[in-house]
Amino acid sequence: MTTLKITQVRSIIGRPQNQRDTVRSLGLKRIRHTVTQPDRPEIRGMLRKVPHLVEFEELQD
């Protein structure tokens, strides 16, 4: 199964509440914080909602 390595690269200060909630639900807490999430349609949808705040890459297991 493929996993995604997600890193927050920009601040959520001044962003709309729905974008803040999306970044938090991905598990990110601060700039340069990195988490791994399974490559699922729900996670991909969240990443499409905030592409200007995060970077991600696919990791093969």
Side-chain angles (χ1 to χ4, degrees):
M1 180 178 200
T2 305
T3 58
L4 298 171
K5 179 180 171 185
I6 307 166
T7 304
Q8 183 177 344
V9 294
R10 298 203 52 201
S11 175
I12 60 172
I13 295 173
R15 302 292 176 183
Q17 189 64 43
N18 63 341
Q19 292 179 8
R20 290 175 184 235
D21 294 342
T22 301
V23 171
R24 292 291 181 234
S25 64
L26 285 168
L28 299 167
K29 298 185 184 298
R30 61 190 173 278
I31 296 174
R32 288 188 227 102
H33 185 221
T34 301
V35 296
T36 55
Q37 295 281 356
D39 189 6
R40 298 177 40 193
E42 298 87 0
I43 301 298
R44 290 283 184 159
M46 288 187 219
L47 293 173
R48 278 190 218 103
K49 198 169 179 185
V50 290
H52 53 291
L53 302 176
V54 299
E55 289 180 348
F56 70 95
E57 62 180 273
E58 294 182 14
L59 303 174
Q60 296 296 327
D61 289 341

